[in-house]
Amino acid sequence: MLELAILGFLHDAPLHGYVLRRHIAALTGHVRPVAESTLYPAIKRLEKAGLLVRATEPGAVAAPRHVLRLTEEGGRELKRRLAEPAQREITDENHWFTLLAFMRHLADPAAQAAVLRRRLAFLEEPTSFFYDGERPLRAEELDDPFRRGVLTIARATSRAELAWLRDTLASLEGAARRVSRSETS
């Protein structure tokens, strides 16, 4: 998730590490704060893999600034990760939101739709946070008002996401058909 966020934000624009950290914290920080001890090793791994480069630029005061830029290979890697997300990026809400934040960089509507269909299939599976044996429990079956609250909130969130997914898929699939027709013309 962190590497995807780094690649995604650097695809938008070259950034100083501090600014990159602020952007990532704005996206994921409320759930998973980004510590320097986590961010900078990830940057070094991506740099070593040739996915980003660091350039030294004069600082506003005296110290030089290190600005990070995505390489062509980094752009290809970002698009690969967006088109072929790991299952965890589909099923874990925090990973999903990070993936979704950069989905626009995957320019092919058919590829975008394929990822959204995976999320839709996941959300359409009956599930719960609480079970009676193997059977998922619904909010209405629980006496505990707090657990009922968890399920009620999750159901509302899922319904909103399902509606958005279906609408967006219809739009993307229409765009993919138009692209396909124009390519065969």
Side-chain angles (χ1 to χ4, degrees):
M1 181 175 78
L2 178 59
E3 289 183 0
L4 180 64
I6 293 168
L7 294 173
F9 281 120
L10 291 179
H11 188 281
D12 292 339
L15 296 170
H16 180 271
Y18 174 77
V19 175
L20 177 62
R21 182 173 173 229
R22 279 197 351 241
H23 287 334
I24 293 169
L27 180 62
T28 64
H30 67 286
V31 177
R32 292 187 175 113
V34 180
E36 286 183 22
S37 62
T38 307
L39 177 63
Y40 289 103
I43 288 171
K44 285 186 186 293
R45 282 192 306 276
L46 294 171
E47 190 175 17
K48 186 175 181 182
L51 304 179
L52 61 90
V53 293
R54 182 186 321 243
T56 304
E57 296 180 353
V61 181
R65 295 170 32 113
H66 298 284
V67 176
L68 304 166
R69 286 182 174 74
L70 199 63
T71 64
E72 284 185 37
E73 181 63 28
R76 284 191 295 274
E77 177 63 12
L78 171 65
K79 290 171 185 162
R80 185 198 65 75
R81 288 182 185 203
L82 293 170
E84 304 167 7
Q87 186 62 17
R88 183 175 184 193
E89 292 169 330
I90 297 295
T91 60
D92 179 278
E93 187 173 90
N94 299 314
H95 284 81
W96 170 247
F97 284 147
T98 300
L99 181 73
L100 203 55
F102 303 106
M103 189 60 68
R104 73 182 183 282
H105 297 312
L106 187 59
D108 179 17
Q112 292 171 333
V115 173
L116 296 187
R117 276 193 296 278
R118 286 181 59 196
R119 178 68 175 185
L120 180 64
F122 165 70
L123 289 177
E124 288 177 332
E125 287 291 316
T127 189
S128 178
F129 293 105
F130 311 108
Y131 289 82
D132 180 11
E134 294 293 315
R135 186 179 66 82
L137 293 172
R138 295 185 342 245
E140 298 78 18
E141 298 176 284
L142 295 171
D143 293 330
D144 180 334
F146 306 104
R147 285 189 170 193
R148 192 170 49 246
V150 168
L151 294 180
T152 300
I153 293 165
R155 180 189 302 154
T157 302
S158 290
R159 284 181 180 160
E161 186 176 354
L162 285 166
W164 175 83
L165 281 166
R166 289 179 181 125
D167 287 348
T168 304
L169 276 166
S171 175
L172 289 172
E173 288 165 351
R177 282 191 297 276
R178 287 189 296 278
V179 167
S180 178
R181 280 195 301 263
S182 71
E183 288 175 353
T184 58
S185 303

